[in-house]
Amino acid sequence: MWKNYLKIAWRNILRKKGFAFINIGGLAVGLAASVLIMVWIQFEFSVDSQYENSDRIYAVWRTNVNQGNVSSWDYTPTPYAPALKDQYPEVESVTHVTEWDPMALTVGEKSFYEKTTFVDPGFFEMFSFRVLEGDPVDALSSPDNIVITESVAKKFFGEQSAIGKSITVESELEFEVKAVVEDLPQNTDFRFTAFLPYNKLKAMGWSGDYWENNNCRTFAMLAPGTDLAAFNKKFKDFSLRNADIKNTSDFLFPMSDLHLKSKFENGQSVGGKIDLIRMFGIVGIVILLIACVNFVNLSTAQSEKRAKEVGIRKVSGANRSMLIWQFLVESILISLAAYGLALLLISLTFPGFNRLIGKELGLPFGQMNFWIFSIGYAFLTGILAGIYPAFLLSSFRPVLVLKSRILATKSWFKPREVLVVFQFTIVAILIASTWIIRNQMDFVQNRDLGLQKENLIFHPMTGPLKKDFSSVRNEVEALPGVVSISSTFSPFTEEYSDTNTIDWQGKEDGFMPKVNRMGADANVVKTAGLQLVAGRDIDAYTNASDSSAVLINETAMNFMGFEDPIGELVKDGDSEYHVVGVVKDFIIGSPFGKSEGIMIFGPKIQQNFIHIRLSGIELQKTMAQLETIFEKFNPNSPFEYQFVDELHAQKFASHKQTSSLTAVFSLLAILISCLGLFGLAAFIAEQRSKEIAVRKILGASVHGLAMLLSGEFTKLVLISMVIGVPITWYAMSAWLRSFDYRIGIDWKVFLGTGLIALLIAFLTVSFQSIKAALMNPVKSLKSE
């Protein structure tokens, strides 16, 4: 019986090669797209969930309520981690984790900038990265040891063992390699290649028992069986008890949720990247549904031609269940053929897909779970696509079909039209969404940052550069291609340190606004291209007192409540600064967020970077001259500078990825829909060939006939737009509300979407319509 089913199904596929091609092609694209999305989703869910004790590892988060505004962050001060370990017996292990810019590592004449972090021994107790040599936990217990990854070991020492070898960090700190770990896997958000002991920071005086400086992240591992909710209940006043930080609550957040659910509102996790994953998971399923709709539409469209086949089979003794299985086998056979083609498409497009998502995933063909899931997915697709046509075709009564009396019932509800409307509703939603996402990206990219990011570079200030910075400064300033130079605490591309404990005269009790700390020696307004609103720039070389000067931005001035802040005193912990100037708000963090309070302190605060403003004239010559100067003063470290505008552009990477993914899947949805529409138009043109012939004999023009056939589909596309517009408006309005700096939705987007959808449908259908209209009516009517 099954052999017979397969044989008949194969013959039917060969008999209608064109429709089989459309079905197999559409299903293959749908299967390939949805499987690729599922592979990506599987990877995203695995990020930082693969550790031996993942269910017991947590990140420390804090929430502050300030005049009704609630903000959450995951940075903590240095004394936070040891106090957490000492005060709670449930805490089995803790670690600090710094996230600084790359540091220069040197061995002999080899020198490279590596992503280096300062961590505690607890880091490798929690995170079970594969160890190749040594004991990283023991290594990090001593302040003079270093742990490196395999790739760094090979850079410096080739195939020799790195254990016991010396590495110089920042041209001044000597460390001994005590352990080598495998390069961190892709499915972790940690991107470190070298690990230094956190207690080295204390030994160097780079960190102290200062509760107001959030300079690192803290992770904790709880003992087995600890109830998180109960622990957080007694942990919430930790900052208040230890540092008298009011209106701030502390809580632990599961490490396994951090990658996908780190967006907080009102102190609660409300999503994050999980929203993107869900959206594209739905898109993948919808694209496959569109392909299934093609199958259903083309199968039911041919119902009249297959009606006599059903009638003869029933007269010959076949019952309905046998016919249902016959049609389902045909559907599954098409689905499996599509699955084979989908595997080929996956192999061919996987490198491009990796570039699209910004990962380097391997093909999943070596995983048994992939084959079980994907083959089952193909079978399920075949059943879902074929079940409605199977039940419809098997329901025909032999007496009627053998007398050619299948009558079309007149109804406002026609399944084929509903399915076409569904397809083009999805197409309209995807087109409009892509348009709105791109408009939002363009809007934010053109935002005035308050600083001039072009022709501005920065370079880490390593030991030798710090020791002789005045000479470096003089030689750099003398170059004709350099406008100005400043040493700074942090780059003008990210937030390095923040606090909510800044004090000033007249500050309201309990008012604790967030302030981002920066620092500079001189000419920072000119170097960064800031706009001075009041007062003057910091210049510690001309005014010795400017070592304790501070520049504030307009947001800081407004919440401090000063009409004229020049000369006012600002206290940061035990240090006191006097305000010398006010600058217009500028953005160093997320370009999608609102402006925050920023204070640029004088060189009393540590200087870690050199910023240089270039004229832009003879840029290559200037960069060569700068390299010569830096090599002169810093011979053991490479000249590795970064352009501020390039780093700013990288902040759009995830949103550009969303835009690109939406655009790609919109094109796939359009392609599959057009394939189905093309096949459906071809069948309807064939079905109405006699009507077209009669109309042509009676004087109908080719243009009129083409418009007649195209008009039916135009009506369906317009209905799709009526349904799709409010859905898109609602969904994209919700998405835009996640940005502080955003566009409004322009009605022209929907007008343009409608015109594009109509054009796509018209071009797809018009070929078949014109072909049918040009056909010789004699050929269509000769059987009569």
Side-chain angles (χ1 to χ4, degrees):
M1 181 65 73
W2 288 102
K3 182 179 179 181
N4 187 50
Y5 285 160
L6 289 170
K7 187 184 294 184
I8 294 170
W10 181 247
R11 286 173 180 172
N12 281 324
I13 291 171
L14 292 179
R15 190 179 300 123
K16 286 288 184 181
K17 295 184 181 69
F19 292 119
F21 171 78
I22 290 172
N23 280 329
I24 292 172
L27 283 174
V29 173
L31 279 168
S34 56
V35 168
L36 284 172
I37 289 174
M38 295 308 167
V39 169
W40 175 45
I41 289 175
Q42 180 189 28
F43 167 81
E44 294 292 344
F45 272 97
S46 75
V47 172
D48 287 324
S49 300
Q50 77 278 20
Y51 310 115
E52 290 177 10
N53 299 308
S54 289
D55 59 330
R56 298 195 286 127
I57 303 173
Y58 301 89
V60 172
W61 278 73
R62 307 162 85 190
T63 294
N64 175 259
V65 181
N66 185 24
Q67 294 190 336
N69 297 316
V70 182
S71 58
S72 299
W73 68 96
D74 61 345
Y75 269 69
T76 58
T78 293
Y80 198 102
L84 173 61
K85 179 75 164 60
D86 292 342
Q87 295 174 25
Y88 295 93
E90 301 97 325
V91 178
E92 195 172 282
S93 185
V94 296
T95 183
H96 303 87
V97 176
T98 62
E99 294 183 331
W100 296 350
D101 277 337
M103 303 178 79
L105 272 59
T106 305
V107 175
E109 295 182 356
K110 295 180 181 178
S111 187
F112 304 98
Y113 277 96
E114 299 292 340
K115 188 66 176 174
T116 307
T117 180
F118 288 85
V119 295
D120 297 299
F123 182 86
F124 285 102
E125 291 177 346
M126 294 185 209
F127 306 112
S128 49
F129 298 118
R130 185 165 171 247
V131 180
L132 301 179
E133 292 184 278
D135 182 352
V137 176
D138 182 62
L140 293 170
S141 300
S142 171
D144 297 318
N145 295 335
I146 185 172
V147 178
I148 58 177
T149 58
E150 184 181 13
S151 60
V152 174
K154 287 183 176 179
K155 275 184 186 179
F156 287 119
F157 309 110
E159 298 303 320
Q160 297 179 13
S161 172
I163 300 299
K165 303 290 197 308
S166 292
I167 293 180
T168 304
V169 177
E170 296 290 278
S171 301
E172 58 181 338
L173 304 173
E174 290 287 336
F175 293 91
E176 182 181 349
V177 179
K178 284 291 187 179
V180 178
V181 298
E182 193 172 62
D183 288 355
L184 303 194
Q186 282 201 81
N187 61 338
T188 176
D189 282 332
F190 295 127
R191 290 289 174 262
F192 307 122
T193 55
F195 305 84
L196 297 173
Y198 196 84
N199 54 19
K200 184 67 174 180
L201 285 179
K202 297 179 181 177
M204 295 187 302
W206 286 11
S207 67
D209 297 328
Y210 184 42
W211 278 87
E212 287 75 25
N213 182 20
N214 300 318
N215 62 351
C216 63
R217 299 171 75 188
T218 296
F219 294 89
M221 183 165 69
L222 299 183
T226 303
D227 181 76
L228 178 62
F231 181 85
N232 277 337
K233 190 173 182 180
K234 62 181 181 179
F235 177 57
K236 65 181 181 180
D237 61 348
F238 181 77
S239 292
L240 178 64
R241 285 188 288 105
N242 285 275
D244 195 30
I245 300 176
K246 299 179 177 63
N247 304 322
T248 297
S249 58
D250 307 75
F251 62 97
L252 298 185
F253 189 72
M255 182 72 182
S256 55
D257 289 340
L258 198 58
H259 177 69
L260 295 177
K261 301 176 182 177
S262 57
K263 178 184 175 183
F264 284 81
E265 289 180 5
N266 297 318
Q268 300 294 321
S269 172
V270 294
K273 196 168 187 180
I274 188 67
D275 299 324
L276 179 69
I277 298 300
R278 285 179 185 141
M279 181 178 79
F280 282 106
I282 293 170
V283 167
I285 293 171
V286 165
I287 286 176
L288 186 59
L289 282 177
I290 290 174
C292 291
V293 164
N294 284 351
F295 184 91
V296 172
N297 266 344
L298 294 177
S299 297
T300 55
Q302 297 178 74
S303 59
E304 187 173 334
K305 289 200 169 188
R306 300 198 66 175
K308 286 185 172 62
E309 174 193 339
V310 172
I312 291 171
R313 287 181 181 278
K314 283 191 173 183
V315 169
S316 301
N319 58 39
R320 190 177 184 188
S321 63
M322 293 171 66
L323 291 169
I324 289 173
W325 275 113
Q326 171 62 60
F327 293 123
L328 282 178
V329 167
E330 188 175 320
S331 171
I332 292 171
L333 194 61
I334 287 175
S335 181
L336 290 176
Y339 174 68
L341 181 57
L343 292 178
L344 177 62
L345 291 175
I346 290 170
S347 300
L348 295 174
T349 59
F350 207 74
F353 183 70
N354 272 336
R355 288 193 295 273
L356 192 63
I357 63 174
K359 308 292 181 185
E360 292 182 10
L361 307 183
L363 279 167
F365 296 161
Q367 303 172 21
M368 182 57 68
N369 287 341
F370 168 79
W371 291 107
I372 294 171
F373 165 78
S374 61
I375 292 173
Y377 195 45
F379 267 97
L380 181 63
T381 300
I383 292 170
L384 290 176
I387 197 163
Y388 173 69
F391 275 89
L392 175 70
L393 293 171
S394 64
S395 68
F396 292 153
R397 294 170 59 189
V399 174
L400 293 177
V401 298
L402 292 176
K403 289 182 178 180
S404 299
R405 289 178 58 192
I406 298 179
L407 300 176
T409 57
K410 292 185 178 180
S411 170
W412 64 272
F413 177 83
K414 295 180 181 179
R416 278 202 299 277
E417 292 186 352
V418 171
L419 293 175
V420 171
V421 167
F422 167 76
Q423 283 184 313
F424 272 86
T425 297
I426 299 302
V427 167
I429 290 171
L430 288 173
I431 291 173
S433 298
T434 302
W435 198 330
I436 292 168
I437 291 170
R438 288 193 176 275
N439 284 351
Q440 170 68 4
M441 293 303 102
D442 291 341
F443 179 69
V444 178
Q445 283 180 308
N446 293 324
R447 180 182 187 180
D448 180 10
L449 296 181
L451 57 86
Q452 295 174 17
K453 61 183 185 296
E454 294 78 15
N455 295 320
L456 177 62
I457 65 170
F458 66 90
H459 188 285
M461 184 184 277
T462 53
L465 294 174
K466 285 184 181 179
K467 290 176 183 176
D468 205 5
F469 179 68
S470 59
S471 299
V472 174
R473 181 172 177 267
N474 290 336
E475 290 199 23
V476 169
E477 278 189 324
L479 295 178
V482 170
V483 176
S484 64
I485 176 174
S486 301
S487 68
T488 62
F489 167 68
S490 58
F492 274 84
T493 54
E494 58 184 298
E495 301 170 4
Y496 250 51
S497 175
D498 65 69
T499 181
N500 58 1
T501 60
I502 295 290
D503 203 5
W504 62 88
Q505 186 176 1
K507 178 182 176 182
E508 295 179 15
D509 187 36
F511 180 47
M512 303 179 71
K514 176 186 173 184
V515 173
N516 287 305
R517 289 189 186 92
M518 300 189 75
D521 62 342
N523 301 324
V524 67
V525 170
K526 184 177 181 181
T527 302
L530 306 179
Q531 298 178 46
L532 199 62
V533 175
R536 61 174 177 83
D537 198 353
I538 294 173
D539 189 346
Y541 302 100
T542 304
N543 304 297
S545 62
D546 274 11
S547 61
S548 58
V550 62
L551 283 171
I552 62 175
N553 70 344
E554 288 178 310
T555 295
M557 181 183 70
N558 291 335
F559 65 60
M560 292 169 78
F562 293 130
E563 289 186 13
D564 181 12
I566 307 303
E568 295 287 348
L569 297 180
V570 171
K571 193 172 182 181
D572 185 10
D574 295 329
S575 299
E576 198 169 65
Y577 299 86
H578 59 282
V579 179
V580 296
V582 180
V583 295
K584 184 179 176 182
D585 284 342
F586 59 97
I587 305 296
I588 58 173
S590 169
F592 300 93
K594 59 185 178 182
S595 298
E596 296 181 328
I598 298 175
M599 294 188 179
I600 305 175
F601 298 99
K604 183 190 288 188
I605 193 171
Q606 182 176 304
Q607 306 293 287
N608 302 311
F609 294 88
I610 299 172
H611 279 75
I612 302 172
R613 165 68 58 188
L614 306 172
S615 66
I617 301 171
E618 295 185 323
L619 191 59
Q620 289 185 333
K621 180 181 177 181
T622 302
M623 298 313 299
Q625 292 170 332
L626 285 172
E627 184 173 8
T628 300
I629 294 172
F630 275 74
E631 285 180 351
K632 174 183 174 182
F633 290 97
N634 196 27
N636 295 322
S637 297
F639 178 56
E640 292 195 6
Y641 56 89
Q642 291 180 289
F643 278 93
V644 168
D645 57 348
E646 291 177 357
L647 287 180
H648 175 72
Q650 291 176 16
K651 296 178 181 180
F652 297 92
S654 63
H655 296 286
K656 283 184 176 179
Q657 181 191 89
T658 302
S659 179
S660 298
L661 284 169
T662 308
V664 167
F665 290 120
S666 297
L667 289 173
L668 290 179
I670 291 169
L671 173 64
I672 297 170
S673 297
C674 287
L675 275 174
L677 202 60
F678 184 85
L680 194 59
F683 188 83
I684 290 174
E686 181 184 345
Q687 195 178 42
R688 297 177 65 178
S689 59
K690 288 184 175 60
E691 175 195 342
I692 293 169
V694 171
R695 287 179 178 273
K696 194 168 184 181
I697 290 170
L698 294 175
S701 65
V702 172
H703 175 264
L705 290 171
M707 294 305 295
L708 173 69
L709 293 174
S710 302
E712 295 183 13
F713 293 101
T714 301
K715 176 187 69 176
L716 299 180
V717 172
L718 289 174
I719 294 172
S720 300
M721 285 302 303
V722 171
I723 298 171
V725 165
I727 294 173
T728 306
W729 183 86
Y730 177 80
M732 295 312 295
S733 293
W735 179 74
L736 288 169
R737 280 196 295 273
S738 65
F739 303 105
D740 293 310
Y741 190 75
R742 59 181 181 263
I743 61 168
I745 298 178
D746 192 341
W747 62 269
K748 294 175 186 175
V749 169
F750 299 115
L751 176 62
T753 299
L755 293 174
I756 291 171
L758 284 170
L759 181 63
I760 290 169
F762 180 77
L763 292 176
T764 303
V765 174
S766 61
F767 175 80
Q768 293 292 354
S769 301
I770 294 170
K771 180 183 175 183
L774 291 172
M775 186 177 291
N776 189 342
V778 174
K779 290 184 179 180
S780 303
L781 297 174
K782 65 181 179 181
S783 63
E784 300 296 328

